[in-house]
Amino acid sequence: MFSRFSRRQIISLISFTVAGAAVTSSFPFMNNFFIRKAQAQEIPDKLYKLRKYKIITKSQFQLWKEGLIDDIFDASTELLIDKKVIKILRHKKSKKYVTPLFFCDFDKPEDIAKAIIDLNLVFPDQEVKTDPTLD
């Protein structure tokens, strides 16, 4: 079968095959080079009772890269209220959103934002530290 090819031709054929396989496997990632850098800034802020909130949905590739893929919860949605991140998760089976701030679940992230704004919760700019002298 390979009797018509020289050793140099066989080696170059194998190297072109390996290089072609590498190029075709990386082709889906080529789309990331053509995305504008400030893609998250294009999402407009929504206004509710004079406070701004924003809902950002991450792509599944970003989640896989950050290691946030889970079987039960989906962490692809971020909620920002007054430019502070509120952690929310979506249960994959019930399709409800949960947050550690409340003991209930919500249908949409907008409902969580409106509940936080209705309660007039304000989040600090930095990490809150407890007093070590208190029990």
Side-chain angles (χ1 to χ4, degrees):
M1 178 174 158
F2 292 109
S3 62
R4 287 182 264 160
F5 296 114
S6 67
R7 184 180 304 158
R8 183 177 291 160
Q9 288 174 331
I10 292 174
I11 290 173
S12 65
L13 180 68
I14 291 171
S15 65
F16 284 131
T17 304
V18 169
V23 167
T24 56
S25 66
S26 66
F27 183 71
F29 301 110
M30 294 296 285
N31 192 24
N32 291 337
F33 290 115
F34 302 110
I35 295 175
R36 293 189 302 266
K37 288 183 180 178
Q39 196 174 31
Q41 294 176 358
E42 295 176 4
I43 300 171
D45 288 339
K46 297 177 183 176
L47 193 64
Y48 180 72
K49 293 188 178 179
L50 301 176
R51 289 182 69 184
K52 294 180 182 178
Y53 71 94
K54 183 187 296 190
I55 298 167
I56 300 173
T57 304
K58 294 182 180 181
S59 68
Q60 292 296 325
F61 177 71
Q62 286 176 331
L63 293 174
W64 175 77
K65 190 168 66 174
E66 294 173 6
L68 296 174
I69 299 295
D70 191 6
D71 291 337
I72 299 171
F73 291 104
D74 179 18
S76 64
T77 307
E78 274 188 5
L79 174 63
L80 284 87
I81 298 178
D82 298 329
K83 297 183 180 178
K84 296 185 178 61
V85 178
I86 310 298
K87 296 188 184 287
I88 60 172
L89 296 171
R90 184 176 65 102
H91 195 272
K92 287 186 178 179
K93 288 185 180 177
S94 67
K95 307 290 185 203
K96 300 278 186 171
Y97 289 91
V98 294
T99 182
L101 299 172
F102 299 113
F103 292 110
C104 58
D105 48 3
F106 296 89
D107 293 327
K108 299 180 288 188
E110 290 90 5
D111 296 340
I112 297 174
K114 289 178 180 180
I116 290 172
I117 294 171
D118 286 339
L119 291 173
N120 201 17
L121 295 177
V122 180
F123 300 99
D125 291 332
Q126 58 195 12
E127 182 181 352
V128 177
K129 296 180 181 177
T130 58
D131 189 6
T133 61
L134 296 176
D135 286 336

